[in-house]
Amino acid sequence: MGIFSIATSGLSAASLRVNVAASNIANIRTTGPLPASDGSAASAGAGSLSTSSTYPAAYVPLRVDQVDQSSGSMPGGTIAAVSTVSPSYIAQSDPGAPFANQDGLVAAPNVDIAREFVELAAAKYSFVANAKVIQAYSETTESLLDITT
């Protein structure tokens, strides 16, 4: 893999990180009914099942898993993939919500806002660093070919 493709893989990963963090931040307050667990579905009765089907589920937060694409001694950039955060929700008190359970609890996305802002900062620096690599590669190639603009 060449320098240019390594840097562009880094730019793509940084872009994906920004998109995922923005989605998590934008949906941090998107709650829904608590999913019925194996033991609680029988004790809660049919009322909780109809509530779950009437209202949309809570937002499922995402994360970016980034892996080195190198093979042996050859550098190869990075690969980034999106997966869901586990556990995807936490129980939160909101007795006023129409889909709250008998204890007044709803499912809230398991999003750590501080972590999301750290992801945004890391993506910013990664983007800048990879852009500088492309710029240096371009300038070096220009210099080697003795082309001036």
Side-chain angles (χ1 to χ4, degrees), residues 35-55:
S37 62
D38 296 335
S40 67
S43 64
S48 66
L49 293 176
S50 65
T51 302
S52 295
S53 63
T54 305
Y55 296 99

Side-chain angles (χ1 to χ4, degrees), residues 118-136:
V118 167
E119 288 291 329
L120 286 173
K124 172 188 171 185
Y125 291 119
S126 175
F127 197 87
V128 169
N130 284 294
K132 290 286 186 186
V133 168
I134 292 172
Q135 181 182 13

Side-chain angles (χ1 to χ4, degrees), residues 84-143:
T84 59
V85 172
S86 181
S88 63
Y89 71 91
I90 55 174
Q92 181 179 7
S93 177
D94 188 3
F99 47 81
N101 69 4
Q102 66 272 11
D103 298 325
L105 299 175
V106 298
N110 187 13
V111 174
D112 179 4
I113 194 77
R115 178 175 167 77
E116 298 305 324
F117 279 102
V118 167
E119 288 291 329
L120 286 173
K124 172 188 171 185
Y125 291 119
S126 175
F127 197 87
V128 169
N130 284 294
K132 290 286 186 186
V133 168
I134 292 172
Q135 181 182 13
Y137 176 72
S138 173
E139 290 171 359
T140 303
T141 303
E142 213 174 274
S143 169

